[in-house]
Amino acid sequence: MKIIMLGAPGAGKGTQAKKIAAKYGIPHISTGDIFRANLKQGTELGKKAKVYMDQGLLVPDELTCDLVVDRISQPDAVNGYVLDGFPRTIPQAECLTNALKERNESMDIAIDVTVPDENIINRMSGRRACLGCGATYHIEFNPTKTEGVCDACGGELVLRDDDKPETVKKRLDVYHAQTQPLIDYYTKAGILYSVDGTQDIDKVFEDITKKLG
Ligand code: AP5
Ligand code: MG
Ligand code: ZN
């Protein structure tokens, strides 16, 4: 099963993608997580990406597309994968479509997690991410057992640098201008499925798994 997660920043793409990956035994591929891992390791890619991420802007397509095409060609992706945060522009979507076409493949479904902008800022300021394993929590909606400590690995939880309200506003603008057109793109491709992302996390997942079967 080859799945794309669409949705505004903070819509819950990562939260749902992790659950889908676990249930169906396919890798969760998040371009944001890949950039953050590179940043932590101090790679050239990480340094380049940080300049854009800190401003709430998109990393240029040419740094993103090859990276994902390479990742979905790895052995663990033969039975499918869930793409989280990619594609994010029409050129990225075309790059993906073309790369798959060369192998006589295509995506199965694009899941759009819809949440109005008003709800997003509140969600982001409460999000906490684990420095150790990348798990994501929310101080109100998905709290850890012990405050500030990851349930999964015991790592330290932090607020992401780009989750400050000013940056979140910028990311929302960028989303509407550059990523929202993908809703149309995948509607035309006949694979768009929209889910109401304002419901609680388990209900959103239930709707998605009903659709995926
Ligand atoms: P990325 O890491 O992808 O960030 P994003 O798209 O802005 O999305 P988020 O990760 O912030 O939100 P999410 O939808 O995953 O929500 P989550 O599940 O965490 O990208 C970061 C940056 O990298 C970009 O700005 C860009 O610069 C760059 N980048 C990445 N990919 C790129 C690409 N393809 N091209 C160019 N640049 C790229 O949930 C949010 C919070 O809400 C959590 O605290 C969660 O616990 C909580 N929550 C989730 N669901 C619910 C619910 N149903 N009810 C209540 N709370 C909920
Ligand atoms: Mg995410
Ligand atoms: Zn952790």
Side-chain angles (χ1 to χ4, degrees):
M1 198 153 22
K2 296 192 283 295
I3 303 168
I4 294 170
M5 302 304 293
L6 295 174
K13 299 181 296 294
T15 301
Q16 297 300 327
K18 286 191 185 100
K19 291 168 82 73
I20 294 168
K23 182 174 161 87
Y24 296 95
I26 53 178
H28 166 215
I29 302 175
S30 156
T31 39
D33 287 354
I34 294 172
F35 291 138
R36 281 185 289 276
N38 272 274
L39 184 62
K40 205 169 135 192
Q41 290 156 15
T43 69
E44 274 314 304
L45 175 66
K47 284 178 203 156
K48 281 187 194 156
K50 181 177 164 54
V51 179
Y52 299 93
M53 292 172 80
D54 283 354
Q55 298 176 68
L57 301 173
L58 295 184
V59 177
D61 291 339
E62 54 272 25
L63 291 180
T64 314
C65 195
D66 293 349
L67 181 91
V68 175
V69 172
D70 180 69
R71 179 63 189 85
I72 62 177
S73 310
Q74 301 299 312
D76 67 335
V78 285
N79 294 324
Y81 38 82
V82 43
L83 296 181
D84 162 15
F86 180 95
R88 240 180 166 93
T89 63
I90 295 285
Q92 288 181 17
E94 281 170 350
C95 163
L96 178 65
T97 303
N98 292 335
L100 292 174
K101 218 182 249 165
E102 280 175 21
R103 317 170 189 188
N104 285 320
E105 291 178 12
S106 59
M107 295 305 296
D108 296 307
I109 186 168
I111 301 173
D112 179 31
V113 185
T114 61
V115 176
D117 287 8
E118 305 84 85
N119 303 31
I120 298 278
I121 308 239
N122 178 24
R123 274 202 194 178
M124 302 302 234
S125 56
R127 171 162 61 183
R128 295 295 179 270
C130 174
L131 283 176
C133 72
T136 305
Y137 303 93
H138 192 282
I139 50 174
E140 188 184 339
F141 307 124
N142 183 20
T144 47
K145 292 192 186 76
T146 312
E147 199 184 310
V149 181
C150 178
D151 285 348
C153 79
E156 183 196 346
L157 302 184
V158 296
L159 180 72
R160 255 168 55 179
D161 283 344
D162 59 348
D163 279 350
K164 296 180 214 102
E166 323 80 84
T167 317
V168 171
K169 282 211 183 80
K170 181 72 203 166
R171 285 162 63 198
L172 278 169
D173 290 345
V174 167
Y175 166 76
H176 290 299
Q178 302 198 54
T179 307
Q180 216 167 11
L182 294 180
I183 310 261
D184 229 36
Y185 182 93
Y186 287 109
T187 302
K188 285 192 184 123
I191 61 165
L192 189 85
Y193 169 68
S194 288
V195 62
D196 176 1
T198 64
Q199 309 174 94
D200 70 40
I201 292 172
D202 290 336
K203 180 67 175 70
V204 177
F205 187 56
E206 195 188 306
D207 286 358
I208 290 174
T209 50
K210 262 191 209 146
K211 176 72 185 174
L212 295 179

